[in-house]
Each structure stands twice: as C-alpha cells, then as structure tokens.
Amino acid sequence: RPNYLTLIRETGAKVYGVGKVPDVFAGLDMDESFPTKSNAEGITVTERLLQEIDDGFVFTNLVETDQLWGHRNDPVNFHRALQGFDRRLGDILEALRPGDLLIVTSDHGCDPTTPGTDHTREHAMLVCYVHGKNAAGRVHEGEFADVGATVNAWFGGKTPPKRIPGQPIVTP
C-alpha cells in the first residue's frame, strides 16, 4: 500500500473483489468480497454485480483457468475453460452500461503444454473494451501495471507515487 486499489477507493469508488482477488490483496482496499469456487460462478457473480451496482470497480479472477488448468498442465480443461468464458462473454458485454470499461487479461503466461507448473514466458493476453471506441488495430506493448493505471485513470484517480509503475492504456 498504496497501490492502484487504494487510489481507486480514494476517488469514492467501491471495489468489489470476485474470486480470489480479495485473498491476493489480503483483503486490503476491498469494500465487498465474493469468493467463488468456479469460473462459471465467478462470471455469474460478475454479471450480477454489473447489473446491480451503479458505480464501482468489479475486479474478478477466474481461478480455474489459472490454478487448476494452466498450472496443472491440463490443456484440454484449459481449452474448455476458455470456451466457457467465450460463451459467457456476450452476457458480460450485455451487462455493461455506457461509459463502462471492460478489461480482460491474464496475469501472466501459463502455457498448459509446457513442462513444469510455473509461470511461462509467453505474452499475457489483454483486451480493453469501451463501447463506441475503436482501437483501430492498436497493440499495447506494456506491462501488467498498465492495467491498474488504466482503471485508476478511468475512475479519475490521482497520479500515483513514482514507485507505483504503469501507464494508462485507454483513458475516458
């Protein structure tokens, strides 16, 4: 602390942690926590929050994709998890409101076909979506901290101290 969640909360926005997000941040800077047991449950909780809350940051981790299938070298179930997310993505997009920002990312590479259970070196996946904005084929070559910087900028958070890395990918 401080981190981007601290800065986002300082704007008055609530932070809703879904899945293992509250555990990752030791419960700090979370207003409400929603532990989940599966990707499907995480997506359902996220969709419900998007429909119910008027303002705030919904931060979701789909634990099965990473913890069960990626790190456990199970490409078949990893693929099924991605297909399951693809099937539900339309529901998430439908739950978004004008002015909402959706970021879908992996927190690291984790190729389930390589030996070992550690993080792997391929690039992490990143998609930023704002209804009505066109990236025009733009590719972002940054770092994971850019996700936090983007959300902070989206909520109008103050400039972080120099020790907090990251540059916004898209701004309001």
Side-chain angles (χ1 to χ4, degrees):
R1 277 179 120 173
N3 58 48
Y4 282 115
L5 293 180
T6 308
L7 300 176
I8 291 164
R9 288 185 73 234
E10 287 175 359
T11 70
K14 284 189 171 188
V15 174
Y16 302 86
V18 179
K20 72 177 188 177
V21 169
D23 293 335
V24 171
F25 288 91
L28 299 175
D29 293 313
M30 296 283 147
D31 291 291
E32 292 188 44
S33 298
F34 301 87
T36 60
K37 293 182 174 147
S38 68
N39 285 2
E41 183 183 7
I43 293 168
T44 298
V45 170
T46 299
E47 182 184 355
R48 180 176 52 80
L49 288 170
L50 291 173
Q51 293 168 343
E52 292 177 359
I53 63 172
D54 291 324
D55 188 30
F57 173 44
V58 178
F59 192 174
T60 301
N61 177 280
L62 301 179
V63 69
E64 287 179 315
T65 310
D66 176 48
Q67 191 172 329
L68 293 181
W69 316 132
H71 284 293
R72 300 298 165 250
N73 295 348
D74 187 339
V76 171
N77 282 312
F78 188 85
H79 182 239
R80 286 182 183 143
L82 294 177
Q83 289 174 316
F85 179 78
D86 284 348
R87 281 190 295 277
R88 298 291 304 278
L89 181 58
D91 298 331
I92 293 170
L93 292 172
E94 193 172 301
L96 295 175
R97 300 174 190 177
D100 282 353
L101 166 68
L102 173 67
I103 298 176
V104 179
T105 186
S106 53
D107 59 344
H108 55 77
C110 193
D111 182 344
T113 65
T114 59
T117 59
D118 291 334
H119 299 168
T120 53
R121 295 180 153 254
E122 71 274 5
H123 291 281
M125 176 273 305
L126 171 71
V127 174
C128 293
Y129 173 80
V130 179
H131 183 72
K133 288 201 175 195
N134 183 345
R138 186 172 148 215
V139 173
H140 180 74
E141 298 275 348
E143 59 185 338
F144 191 60
D146 294 349
V147 173
T150 301
V151 175
N152 183 54
W154 201 261
F155 280 97
K158 66 183 178 185
T159 302
K162 291 186 185 214
R163 68 182 179 276
I164 299 178
Q167 297 296 314
I169 299 163
V170 62
T171 55

